[in-house]
């Protein structure tokens, strides 16, 4: 099975990109591979709104004076 280990939001010329890393683990819990990478451009408006909500939360709770 694949397990998400991290993700990052990037703003690029193509739009909002989500980069992520994941590990693969077998049914017995043995690590098959790690630090695998992938990425995609956000095109779904519902998911874009959720990413905007996370960004707003960080700005209001961690970056506000």
């Amino acid at each position: 099975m694949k397990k998400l280990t991290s993700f990052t939001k990037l703003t690029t010329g193509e739009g909002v990109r989500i980069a992520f890393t994941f590990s693969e683990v077998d049914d017995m819990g043995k690590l098959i591979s790690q630090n695998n990478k992938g990425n995609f451009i956000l095109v779904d408006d519902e998911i874009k709104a959720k990413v905007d909500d996370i960004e707003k939360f960080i700005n209001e709770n961690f970056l506000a004076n």
Side-chain angles (χ1 to χ4, degrees):
M1 76 183 96
K2 295 179 181 177
K3 295 287 202 172
L4 181 67
T5 55
S6 71
F7 64 92
T8 304
K9 174 219 172 224
L10 307 155
T11 303
T12 67
E14 298 84 15
V16 175
R17 179 184 300 261
I18 302 296
F20 60 93
T21 60
F22 64 96
S23 294
E24 288 187 89
V25 180
D26 70 12
D27 293 337
M28 299 297 290
K30 182 180 174 186
L31 186 64
I32 297 169
S33 65
Q34 60 185 357
N35 203 30
N36 301 299
K37 299 177 183 342
N39 67 82
F40 59 92
I41 301 297
L42 281 179
V43 295
D44 182 291
D45 289 335
E46 184 178 339
I47 301 300
K48 283 181 187 177
K50 292 177 181 185
V51 169
D52 290 343
D53 287 343
I54 293 169
E55 190 170 26
K56 180 180 175 184
F57 174 82
I58 292 169
N59 282 321
E60 290 175 354
N61 293 281
F62 298 99
L63 304 179
N65 292 331

